[in-house]
Amino acid sequence: MQRKAAFPPSVDADTRLLILGSLPGDASIRQGEYYAHRGNAFWTLVGDALGEDLRGQPYAVRLKRLRGRGVGLWDVIESAEREGSLDGSIRGAELRDLGAFVARLPALKAIAFNGKTAALHGRRQLGDRSGLALIDLPSSSGAYASLSREAKRSAWMILRDWLD
């Protein structure tokens, strides 16, 4: 089984909302971009919450637009063994130190977990952070098909509460 590593964070001192995934999938790792698989609805869902078409933008512009709106991206897992891209195949996960990381984000008000795996590991690490909202979102992955794209969109619209 291959060990796979996550990306560096996309944040700055003005990050108010941090969206945490689990671990990038194979398509993302190959392209060096968060949520690169075309079946993943992340860019559409977060774009809808922002009121912007992010999917149609180049990757660097997407990240810049997120940071410009106070939104950061990262993952709860630093590295893990995983065959393929499914969270259920993750083995031997090395977790990030989320507590120390969020302490360095002075404007942070909320953390949104993209899917159950991110929420499980993230909530376990962060516990009850006073003054910090923790939001569980349905996974944007196309592999999570028990919810329609419209149902996912409705759930993701809660992010509007944390945007400029």
Side-chain angles (χ1 to χ4, degrees), residues 4-136:
K4 298 175 181 177
F7 303 139
S10 175
V11 297
D12 60 27
D14 296 324
T15 298
R16 289 180 312 286
L17 169 64
L18 178 62
I19 301 174
L20 293 173
S22 55
L23 182 70
D26 289 348
S28 292
I29 291 170
R30 272 193 306 278
Q31 294 182 47
E33 299 179 358
Y34 282 105
Y35 305 104
H37 192 283
R38 61 189 163 109
N40 193 305
F42 176 83
W43 294 108
T44 300
L45 295 168
V46 77
D48 286 349
L50 290 167
E52 297 185 37
D53 173 20
L54 292 178
R55 187 174 275 293
Q57 300 297 320
Y59 181 68
V61 172
R62 294 177 198 175
L63 292 181
K64 184 176 181 181
R65 291 300 306 138
L66 287 183
R67 284 192 308 272
R69 298 288 298 274
V71 180
L73 297 179
W74 210 31
D75 291 302
V76 297
I77 298 172
E78 174 69 36
S79 68
E81 292 180 2
R82 183 183 63 203
E83 195 67 43
S85 296
L86 298 178
D87 283 356
S89 299
I90 292 172
R91 301 289 180 266
E94 179 185 329
L95 301 178
R96 297 247 164 91
D97 185 350
L98 295 179
F101 181 72
V102 301
R104 295 191 305 265
L105 296 173
L108 191 65
K109 301 292 181 212
I111 296 175
F113 301 107
N114 184 358
K116 288 182 180 176
T117 300
L120 173 74
H121 292 299
R123 283 183 173 277
R124 188 176 293 152
Q125 281 194 63
L126 294 169
D128 183 23
R129 296 269 168 167
S130 176
L132 195 58
L134 301 179
I135 305 159
D136 294 355

